[in-house]
Amino acid sequence: MKDRKLEIHYTEYASLDEMDPQDRNLVEAAFRAQRTSYAPYSHFNVGAAVLMENGAIVTGSNQENAASPSGLCAERTAMFAAGAQYPGIPMVAIAIVGGPDFGICDSPATPCGACRQVMAEYQKIGKRPMAVIMTGGGAIWKFDRVDDVLPFIFDSI
Ligand code: THU
């Protein structure tokens, strides 16, 4: 028997000013995407922006529906659009911004499990690490790879 430990590494920034320009630009795109959120039921508005290896940025926001399971998170809206617009192009990073009533929570907005699983698959087919940036009013967290937000990734392909 072995007692094992798992360590997760991430970088915390106090504000956008501390980030490198490429990451800051991606977070700013996620902020703009948040404005397009359609969330009349939860009033929780989320924006996401995906940076592609070719430099393109694809954004998405959460889109809700009266038949609630028909809605979709911002992250998957952005990643599915990116996959559809740029098939075969790896995703380098995704930035997430979220909060109630188009605002932002103090602690960073963290993606749901289903979105993490979708990130994991795009990272795998992209054959390179995909960074995950979670934005809050009081801190911004950057994880260098999806493995750091979804340990023991399910992998059947
Ligand atoms: N939501 C996202 O867009 N991303 C997440 O990672 C978590 C939750 C959305 C789904 C729903 O429209 C609203 O936030 C409240 O759960």
Side-chain angles (χ1 to χ4, degrees), residues 38-39 42-47 61-64 72-75 96 109-112 115:
Y38 174 66
S42 73
H43 300 280
F44 192 84
N45 305 98
V46 187
S61 57
N62 59 327
Q63 299 293 318
E64 297 185 350
L72 195 63
C73 292
E75 297 91 323
I96 304 149
T110 55
C112 78
C115 289

Side-chain angles (χ1 to χ4, degrees), residues 45-90:
N45 305 98
V46 187
V50 178
L51 174 66
M52 310 302 293
E53 198 178 60
N54 64 6
I57 289 177
V58 180
T59 60
S61 57
N62 59 327
Q63 299 293 318
E64 297 185 350
N65 190 275
S68 59
S70 304
L72 195 63
C73 292
E75 297 91 323
R76 273 176 288 165
T77 303
M79 286 185 284
F80 291 154
Q85 287 172 43
Y86 297 105
I89 307 287

Side-chain angles (χ1 to χ4, degrees), residues 97-136:
V97 168
D101 297 315
F102 295 98
I104 183 167
C105 300
D106 212 40
S107 84
T110 55
C112 78
C115 289
R116 293 176 201 215
Q117 183 64 37
V118 171
M119 289 172 197
E121 186 145 337
Y122 283 122
Q123 175 178 262
K124 184 182 167 93
I125 64 172
K127 297 188 173 66
R128 60 174 289 172
M130 177 177 174
V132 184
I133 301 170
M134 306 178 191
T135 313

